[in-house]
Amino acid sequence: MSVLDRLAGSRPEHPRPRISIEGAAMVPAWVVAVAGGLVTALGVTVLVDEWVVGALVGAAVAAIRHSAVATGLLVLGAFWMLQQEPDPVRCAVLTLVVHVAAVTARLTGPLSLTGAIETRLLIRVGAAFAVIQVIAQALGGLAFAALTGLPPMPWVGVAGMLAVCGAVAAGISWVRRSTD
Amino acid sequence: MSVPARRTRAAPLVIASATAVGAALAAALVLALGVAAGRPDVAVVAVPVLLTSFWAGLRRPARMTGLRLRSAPGRVESGEIRADLTLDSDAGVESVLVRVAAQGYRSAEALLAADRARVVGASLQTARTGVHELFRVDTISHGFGAVLTSDPATVGPIPVAVHPLPRPLAQMPLPFRLAGLTGNHTSRRVGEGYEVHDVHEFAPGDRLKRIDWRVSARRAYDPRTGRLGTLYARRTFATADATVMIVIDSRDDVGPDVETWAGGTDARMDAATSLDIAREAATAIARAYLDMGDRVGLDDLGRRRRPVPPGVGRGHAERLAQRLLRVAPEGWPDKRERAPQLPSGALVVLCSTFLDDEAARMGRQWRSHGHRVIAVDTVPRLSTRYLTPLQDTAFRLIMLDRAQRIRELRRTGVEVVGWNDTSAAELHAAARSRTQGGRR
């Protein structure tokens, strides 16, 4: 019995035995939460050039694991971007960071830190994440093309759009094939 | 025992979760802000959240996940216990949050892919036996991106009958008096058997095949006449079977942690209690006697119900096992004035904690009636680590009283064995001993 337990007058609880869920390969929820927090911290640090702010936001994403954090990040990021000059890198990074925070909260929010996430689900969610990111980043690229004026060769834009659509269709079919 | 299964209907789909609605509204606000300010780069930031909501609406599942829970087929023994959870999901369901719980265990949670029907296993370790309600499963189904969620659905817990692990016992003590005309044991009576009793003169009633021609030739051959005089026949000990009554004392069920004896705290599921030990001992002893062809019955001191009468065979072993599984403390039974009546000459195996005088009194009465009584001490290895000084004093007094009770039992001729690693050797020694009161 430790000194603290003696002072508190309570017996140390020997942990009860644990039930295990036996599915396919699993990843602990805390690993996903920490990974999401790290990506968010890195992205915010790139945006504001302040590692303390990045660390705080990353810690909030990893520790709170609630969609409200991602929603707050979206609103605050949008207002912050309004104060800045348009920048394609900043737009791309913020789009990625908000999406990572939302997916991290969606995966780890319902679970306790001792919970687990099936690897097959992670692959499926990751593939959907990639498809949505491709679409969003492509739209970001088009937005900046519209802001700075269309390129002198319109066929380049058409080819780019076709490439994006092809990539999206290939991604969706790959998700279906690899997770069924 | 039939394998129990529980099932729920597919839970209906409910509206989008509040957090998802909040996120979609915030994203729409940002999109509107970007458009109003003429800043498409700001509007783009909201695109992932809006696309997720849009896609979730398109792939809205018709129904959420149906559940079916069943324990693993076959005989369940203490150790690892498994159950199978069948998830029957619609194509639009992306994931299912599963939480498996059982009393005395830390629950487990997992987020599983649920895009098709599948079976998920759950397991736990237990040292307990008997019938337990295990595996309560709560689930919440999620559509794409967890935008759409279902109400929580619950299935279980399911009753699981956990049998004690088999424990082979080699040689078992026999009653003072063997009964019956057939069996695997040699009695003291003369009759049909295998062990030679003596050789005596042929008499009416002796079978012709029992005539010992060599002895007759040696003793009764008359060389002058060349004839045999008196014929001699071999007599053998008769065979017989033993009648064994196993008596369980289910009035109390104490765990290894003495602090739980007063109630309020459940005994741990990974440590055997006194009743688990009694079940294991009774099952092993019954199995050993039944394997030898003896008749075994079962009675319970904690219940006033008809005992299982002595019987033989595999079906009877299963009957005993089923009765033992359902042995559990029920209230506080009335004090018995007389010991339950047992078959004449039966060996009594009394499994008890001897924490009060009732079982010991019964044992002494049976012994005074001429039964051979073997008391199996079922108190587990105890831990007094967390007792307060007052509780510790009370515990020591109870154990002193118990030790005195067991000494008294031994003094009256009851053989006491503990159920531990050396119990097989103790029973073997009891089988070899010639206890006072027996005729063998």
Side-chain angles (χ1 to χ4, degrees), chain A residues 34-158:
Chain A
V34 168
L38 282 175
V39 172
T40 310
L42 198 64
V44 172
T45 304
V46 168
L47 284 174
V48 299
D49 205 18
E50 285 281 348
W51 69 268
V52 177
V53 178
L56 284 175
V57 173
V61 168
I64 300 174
R65 297 177 293 125
H66 194 276
S67 297
V69 175
T71 306
L73 196 59
L74 167 67
V75 174
L76 288 175
F79 277 106
W80 176 79
M81 274 191 68
L82 277 175
Q83 313 299 320
Q84 314 291 322
E85 287 297 315
D87 179 31
V89 175
R90 197 178 290 143
C91 173
V93 171
L94 186 61
T95 305
L96 178 76
V97 162
V98 168
H99 197 190
V100 165
V103 170
T104 304
R106 172 260 180 281
L107 286 173
T108 60
L111 293 167
S112 63
L113 283 176
T114 55
I117 303 167
E118 194 176 7
T119 311
R120 196 161 67 92
L121 177 67
L122 280 179
I123 294 171
R124 201 175 164 82
V125 169
F129 172 87
V131 169
I132 290 174
Q133 271 298 306
V134 165
I135 294 172
Q137 299 294 352
L139 285 174
L142 285 176
F144 275 96
L147 281 175
T148 55
L150 289 173
M153 294 175 289
W155 60 269
V156 174
V158 173

Side-chain angles (χ1 to χ4, degrees), chain A residues 11 17 22 106 112 116 118, chain B residues 82 94 109 118 121 123 259:
Chain A
R11 57 175 284 180
E22 299 161 356
R106 172 260 180 281
S112 63
E118 194 176 7
Chain B
R82 289 180 50 83
E94 185 187 52
E109 292 175 357
R118 60 182 299 196
S123 68
E259 201 190 19

Side-chain angles (χ1 to χ4, degrees), chain B residues 233-297:
Chain B
R234 269 181 290 117
R235 291 195 303 182
T236 53
F237 287 108
T239 57
D241 59 3
T243 302
V244 180
M245 279 303 291
I246 296 174
V247 182
I248 291 274
D249 181 6
S250 71
R251 294 170 308 124
D252 52 13
D253 186 13
V254 294
D257 186 355
V258 180
E259 201 190 19
T260 63
W261 286 14
T265 312
D266 288 333
R268 292 179 63 87
M269 293 295 285
D270 55 354
T273 63
S274 63
L275 210 47
D276 299 320
I277 293 172
R279 272 192 208 98
E280 184 185 315
T283 306
I285 290 170
R287 174 68 66 180
Y289 281 111
L290 288 170
D291 286 348
M292 289 193 291
D294 295 324
R295 297 156 54 78
V296 181

